[in-house]
Amino acid sequence: MDSKGTGLTLALGILAAIAGYVLWQTTLGFDTKVDDVHTILVNSASGSTSIQIASILIVLGLTIHAAGLISTRGTVSSTSETLGIICIATSIVVWVTSSGLGIALSEMGEKYVAASAGAAAGDAASVAAVGSITVAGGFIQSANVAANTFGGLLAGIGWVFMGIAYRGSDVKGAISFIPLGWLALIQGLLLVVISLIINPLVGIDTGNQISGISFILIVLWSVSRGVALVQEDN
């Protein structure tokens, strides 16, 4: 892949993914707790189309971004760069896989809403169905949270390695006054701290809110480096 292709995939991929993530969170509700299975199922049902669109954006965006990131290998040839790219690519695989759990929740949500209507009318079968769907939905949501946490830890470790690799390099992004090495280190350390300290000690909901800062920094790094690569090819 040439510099222009690498830059475009690196930047546009992450922008598509973050757009999908925002759409996903907007549909479920930014203030919805991760263990509020009832609200998650109801919102997933009412916004099933948005969830599907968000999933497509996330999966395609992250895959395209991974292709661009892998194509940058050799920019600062080192063990740290290789380890960083591998860890980040692995985290993307985890996140892409977990997106399928979100689609499963939207499908279950539609059944949950239908069963809830029957349960409110006193139908015994519907009452039993609501209980079963709630349990299954809780299991899927727990798996989704675990996958996202593990993916976040892997991504954090990967960006720390990338920061170490780029810190001693003169490679710059389009925003030349922002050092790529330190930016990668900060966003990586944030994700590691969130996964290992904030999530277990404070709470996953708080961790999710703080992780947004790290994801914004990742977008900044990717777009800055991507635009610089495109400019190099012109």
Side-chain angles (χ1 to χ4, degrees), residues 59-209:
V59 171
L60 280 179
L62 286 178
T63 302
I64 292 171
H65 174 68
L69 187 63
I70 292 171
S71 185
T72 65
R73 183 179 178 183
T75 302
V76 284
S77 296
S78 66
T79 301
S80 293
E81 183 196 38
T82 300
L83 289 173
I85 291 175
I86 290 174
C87 286
I88 295 169
T90 304
S91 74
I92 288 175
V93 172
V94 174
W95 281 330
V96 166
T97 303
S98 70
S99 296
L101 297 176
I103 295 177
L105 277 175
S106 68
E107 295 293 331
M108 294 184 67
E110 294 176 354
K111 296 179 180 178
Y112 177 81
V113 170
S116 294
D123 180 63
S126 295
V127 172
V130 167
S132 298
I133 295 173
T134 300
V135 172
F139 176 79
I140 292 177
Q141 176 63 6
S142 296
N144 191 27
V145 170
N148 286 332
T149 300
F150 182 60
L153 177 59
L154 274 174
I157 294 172
W159 282 110
V160 167
F161 277 124
M162 290 291 281
I164 294 172
Y166 275 80
R167 197 163 57 88
S169 167
D170 60 355
V171 177
K172 297 183 181 298
I175 309 174
S176 58
F177 62 86
I178 298 180
L180 294 176
W182 284 110
L183 183 58
L185 269 174
I186 292 171
Q187 63 203 31
L189 287 172
L190 262 177
L191 286 174
V192 171
V193 170
I194 289 167
S195 299
L196 298 181
I197 299 176
I198 295 178
N199 281 350
L201 298 181
V202 181
I204 294 176
D205 291 307
T206 302
N208 286 341
Q209 293 174 359

Side-chain angles (χ1 to χ4, degrees), residues 21-76:
Y21 175 77
V22 171
L23 177 58
W24 185 304
Q25 291 300 320
T26 302
T27 302
L28 294 183
F30 281 102
D31 58 346
T32 300
K33 304 294 184 182
V34 293
D35 58 353
D36 188 353
V37 179
H38 168 75
T39 301
I40 291 172
L41 288 172
V42 171
N43 289 350
S44 294
S46 62
S48 59
T49 300
S50 296
I51 290 290
Q52 292 175 8
I53 294 173
S55 298
I56 293 172
L57 286 172
I58 292 172
V59 171
L60 280 179
L62 286 178
T63 302
I64 292 171
H65 174 68
L69 187 63
I70 292 171
S71 185
T72 65
R73 183 179 178 183
T75 302
V76 284

